[in-house]
């Protein structure tokens, strides 16, 4: 049976979804793949030109209400248009569960999910509608921050997305459509061979080290850590880390790195330590590939901090 690829576009209204779909069809050669069906679930500032779509054998179907996005509806338009590929422009205010829990027509398969974000309003949404906007980005393969400028805090945006969606590829575009290739600024200096990571910087360092382990190869790092060392853990291994919060109590998670230490049985589970370790990049099953592994140089007992949490923002 023929598989019908679905390209899913999520993000809030006026974040650039329609423009991206039009560019994909008109400029990136997707129109050559056969009959295209666009399912548009919201009206934004940018509109589709149906005469233009007709030239490339593309049809447009509008969905005004969330309750109309059903399996019966999708099956009906599948039979009517018999598409070779489908582009879904999802409404940023609709629940993602409506999409994920709706049974797709036979043969339809989501092959790529892209999320668009207006960099000029992302901070505002993080403050006022964090859960809703992050839900739009949670399962995206690619997150495109558009309308970036020199004041865009790329590091902050990356940390917020990666905290919930590790697999996402992030792209930053400036207002003129060119890529923003500025390096992300870190709140600590990595030019030297030794790093002293504060509680305020721990989550930022953790994310950057996990994403760019080679940058930290051979460096010595010191930080305050909570020990994860239950009896079930493999001998000679423990995990120093911290509990981190992204946006609410429900998303608190423990983040730490694999640490190889022959005397790990002397480090009590759930104890607080100050650790200095050398970072080596090695293959680790926990990382499903190569990642940072810590080799302790010194470990000393420490007092529990006043605030046990660290934060990604």
């Amino acid at each position: 049976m023929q598989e019908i690829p679905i390209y899913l576009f999520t993000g809030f209204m006026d974040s650039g979804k329609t423009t991206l779909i039009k560019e994909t069809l008109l400029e990136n050669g997707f129109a050559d793949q056969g009959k295209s069906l666009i399912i548009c679930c919201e009206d934004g500032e940018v509109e589709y030109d149906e005469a233009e779509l007709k030239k490339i054998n593309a049809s447009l179907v509008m969905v005004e209400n969330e309750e109309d996005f059903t399996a019966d509806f999708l099956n009906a338009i599948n039979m009517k248009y018999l598409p070779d590929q489908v582009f879904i422009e999802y409404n940023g205010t609709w629940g993602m569960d409506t999409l994920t829990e709706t049974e797709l027509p036979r043969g339809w398969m989501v092959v790529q999910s892209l999320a668009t974000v207006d960099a000029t309003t992302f901070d505002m949404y993080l403050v006022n509608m964090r859960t809703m906007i992050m839900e739009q980005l949670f399962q995206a393969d690619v997150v495109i921050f558009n309308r970036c400028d020199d004041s865009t805090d790329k590091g902050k945006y990356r940390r917020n997305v990666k905290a919930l969606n590790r697999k996402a590829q992030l792209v930053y575009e400036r207002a003129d459509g060119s890529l923003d290739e500025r390096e992300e600024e870190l709140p600590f200096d990595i030019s030297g061979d030794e790093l002293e990571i504060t509680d305020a910087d721990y989550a930022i360092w953790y994310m950057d080290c996990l994403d760019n382990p080679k940058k930290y190869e051979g460096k010595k790092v010191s930080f305050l850590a909570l020990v994860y060392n239950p009896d079930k853990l493999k001998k000679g291994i423990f995990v120093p880390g911290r509990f981190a919060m992204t946006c609410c109590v429900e998303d608190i998670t423990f983040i730490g790195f694999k640490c190889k230490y022959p005397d790990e049985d002397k480090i009590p589970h759930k104890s607080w330590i100050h650790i200095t370790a050398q970072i080596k990049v090695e293959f680790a099953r926990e990382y499903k590939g190569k990642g940072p592994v810590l080799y302790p140089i010194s470990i000393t007992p420490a007092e529990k901090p006043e605030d046990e949490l660290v934060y990604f923002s």
Side-chain angles (χ1 to χ4, degrees), residues 197-217:
I197 302 298
T198 66
D199 287 2
D201 295 339
Y202 178 85
I204 298 172
W205 166 71
Y206 169 83
M207 193 67 67
D208 194 60
C209 190
L210 204 59
D211 284 347
N212 307 287
K214 290 184 178 179
K215 192 161 66 175
Y216 296 90
E217 173 87 63

Side-chain angles (χ1 to χ4, degrees), residues 86-136:
V86 178
F87 297 79
I88 299 179
E89 181 178 337
Y90 199 64
N91 191 307
T93 63
W94 294 1
M96 289 300 294
D97 55 343
T98 298
L99 175 65
T100 57
E101 295 176 7
T102 298
E103 184 178 357
L104 299 174
R106 192 177 179 190
W108 284 29
M109 179 181 299
V110 177
V111 295
Q112 189 174 40
S113 175
L114 303 98
T116 53
V117 182
D118 183 345
T120 64
T121 59
F122 188 56
D123 279 324
M124 178 188 69
Y125 284 132
L126 282 179
V127 172
N128 299 299
M129 306 173 69
R130 188 182 190 107
T131 300
M132 184 177 289
I133 191 170
M134 294 309 292
E135 185 184 34
Q136 298 285 316

Side-chain angles (χ1 to χ4, degrees), residues 229-245:
N229 190 19
D231 292 338
K232 64 181 180 180
L233 209 58
K234 185 179 179 181
K235 297 301 179 183
I237 301 293
F238 78 98
V239 181
R242 297 295 294 269
F243 278 101
M245 183 170 74

Side-chain angles (χ1 to χ4, degrees), residues 44-188:
E45 288 186 3
V46 178
E47 298 180 349
Y48 294 100
D49 184 329
E50 295 202 44
E52 192 176 53
L53 294 179
K54 188 175 181 180
K55 294 178 183 177
I56 58 172
N57 202 15
S59 302
L60 174 67
V61 174
M62 300 296 299
V63 187
E64 294 186 1
N65 303 305
E66 185 173 0
E67 55 267 26
D68 294 333
F69 195 94
T70 65
D72 288 343
F73 164 75
L74 295 178
N75 278 305
I77 59 174
N78 181 46
M79 293 297 294
K80 179 177 180 179
Y81 294 99
L82 299 175
D84 294 303
Q85 59 184 353
V86 178
F87 297 79
I88 299 179
E89 181 178 337
Y90 199 64
N91 191 307
T93 63
W94 294 1
M96 289 300 294
D97 55 343
T98 298
L99 175 65
T100 57
E101 295 176 7
T102 298
E103 184 178 357
L104 299 174
R106 192 177 179 190
W108 284 29
M109 179 181 299
V110 177
V111 295
Q112 189 174 40
S113 175
L114 303 98
T116 53
V117 182
D118 183 345
T120 64
T121 59
F122 188 56
D123 279 324
M124 178 188 69
Y125 284 132
L126 282 179
V127 172
N128 299 299
M129 306 173 69
R130 188 182 190 107
T131 300
M132 184 177 289
I133 191 170
M134 294 309 292
E135 185 184 34
Q136 298 285 316
L137 313 180
F138 180 66
Q139 296 183 352
D141 301 308
V142 181
V143 178
I144 301 171
F145 286 93
N146 51 48
R147 301 162 196 165
C148 295
D149 57 31
D150 290 342
S151 67
T152 301
D153 191 341
K154 296 167 61 177
K156 176 183 177 181
Y157 293 179
R158 178 174 64 89
R159 292 190 295 273
N160 275 275
V161 174
K162 290 285 190 173
L164 297 177
N165 184 353
R166 293 290 308 156
K167 68 180 177 65
Q169 175 188 350
L170 271 61
V171 178
Y172 304 92
E173 289 186 354
R174 300 182 76 88
D176 62 3
S178 63
L179 293 180
D180 186 341
E181 297 180 329
R182 292 174 300 128
E183 288 192 12
E184 298 173 10
E185 293 186 9
L186 295 170
F188 46 85

